[in-house]
Amino acid sequence: MSDAFVRAITRRFAELEAEVEDLRRRIGNMVREARVTGVDYDRAVATVDMDGLPSKAIPWVQRAGDIRDWDPPTPGERVLVVSPTGDPGLGLILPGGWSTAFPQPHNRGGDRYIVAAGTITLISGDTSLCVGPSGVRIDGRLHTTRGIHDNGGVYSTEAVWPPIPTFTPPVR
């Protein structure tokens, strides 16, 4: 064998070893557990720490079609970074599950239970339902099939129901 052939084979082995190492790195980065370190609400991106490897700002997964969700991650929250190319800088942040800092809010199947520190708003057409720390607000028509019960009465700008009793002096 000539020296040129041995050098060519040696160079090719080195190239293949580098490719294998790059593939190992990319496969290892396809799914990484992480903690949120910062959130940019205006750009809808967050930064995470993946076991000592900080990320650049990457988006979190949300519905973004006719139905859109706004459910940003919280700093300190456990998440997964999914990177189909193996480059975490091109990845997406997915919710990662419960932790000591953020335990599960409920323990029964068949229920949907949402805990929010701020406000939850549902919008459909020109009707909205807003649930927040100060109460519930409905902008739109309210239709009930079983009535409304409230121990303090139902109030409006027009009247109070049930009517507040007025004092009638006894007849003598």
Side-chain angles (χ1 to χ4, degrees), residues 46-66:
T47 54
V48 299
D49 181 271
M50 298 171 278
D51 198 25
L53 175 66
S55 76
K56 61 183 182 179
I58 54 178
W60 59 85
V61 172
Q62 294 284 196
R63 292 209 48 190
D66 285 342

Side-chain angles (χ1 to χ4, degrees), residues 76-153:
E77 183 178 347
R78 180 180 168 207
V79 296
L80 293 175
V81 176
V82 176
S83 311
T85 65
D87 180 354
L90 300 175
L92 296 168
I93 299 171
L94 282 84
W98 315 120
S99 67
T100 304
F102 299 100
Q104 70 188 51
H106 194 56
N107 66 353
R108 288 190 304 232
D111 291 347
R112 172 122 191 212
Y113 196 89
I114 300 171
V115 174
T119 301
I120 298 171
T121 303
L122 302 173
I123 300 171
S124 178
D126 61 353
T127 300
S128 68
L129 168 69
C130 184
V131 179
S134 63
V136 176
R137 178 184 172 123
I138 300 170
D139 288 325
R141 292 184 50 87
L142 173 63
H143 174 81
T144 68
T145 58
R146 302 225 178 171
I148 298 173
H149 175 78
D150 177 46
N151 292 335

Side-chain angles (χ1 to χ4, degrees), residues 4-64:
F5 179 74
V6 171
R7 282 192 302 274
I9 293 289
T10 303
R11 185 173 51 251
R12 184 64 182 139
F13 276 137
E15 290 170 358
L16 290 172
E17 285 177 341
E19 285 183 34
V20 168
E21 187 56 37
D22 182 58
L23 290 171
R24 283 184 180 150
R25 180 187 58 77
R26 287 179 178 272
I27 289 170
N29 283 332
M30 289 178 116
V31 178
R32 302 274 313 246
E33 187 173 350
R35 297 261 175 213
V36 176
T37 56
V39 180
D40 182 336
Y41 301 105
D42 292 328
R43 295 177 40 223
V45 294
T47 54
V48 299
D49 181 271
M50 298 171 278
D51 198 25
L53 175 66
S55 76
K56 61 183 182 179
I58 54 178
W60 59 85
V61 172
Q62 294 284 196
R63 292 209 48 190

